[in-house]
Amino acid sequence: MKLRTLFVIPGILAAGLVLAGCSTGPVESTSPQSTTAPSVTEDSNSADVMFAQMMVPHHVQAVEMSDVILAKDGIDPRVITLAEEIKAAQQPEIDALNGMLKSWGMPQASTDGMAMDHGGSMDGMMTEEDMAALDAATGTEASRRFLEQMIVHHEGAVEMAQIEVDSGTNPDAVAMAQAIIDTQNIEIETMREILQSL
């Protein structure tokens, strides 16, 4: 009887450890009541949530930058086409990302293009001074400034998207991240080519 008990108790402990390992709670949280780390569901993890919440304001700023350049006269036609394509691609992604957050029970991401924390981050976001310089520029200088800023902006988006591809679990979020990487890398090359000929 004692021998049987010795086998049963380790079995119960092992089962408990397996169940604990299957928890979908955030790894960063040390308390069930903790709200400091993003909650996760069966459909997403903390990387998915962070990707969506950061990419929305990032995309919003790209749309704002495009609006600034599209409102100007004397802009290179290739830059106008690019800005129109960026707007057409990123606004639907903003809507889709906020839809994902809603389905995961997460707060909607900020739609303020200046809302992200730039302290030491590598997100490629423009500062208020950068945006003001773009707004003040005209003609070829405006085209050049837009391209230079958008290359940095896209590089930041690609970096953020790669983290999602590497760490995310939601298939829709990972697929969008891969699409961002593919599309924006192509756009970066296009922008560099245009810059060389301005």
Side-chain angles (χ1 to χ4, degrees), residues 153-170:
H153 201 268
H154 271 24
E155 288 172 341
V158 168
E159 183 178 324
M160 290 161 57
Q162 188 61 57
I163 292 171
E164 169 62 12
V165 169
D166 294 340
S167 306
T169 59
N170 182 271

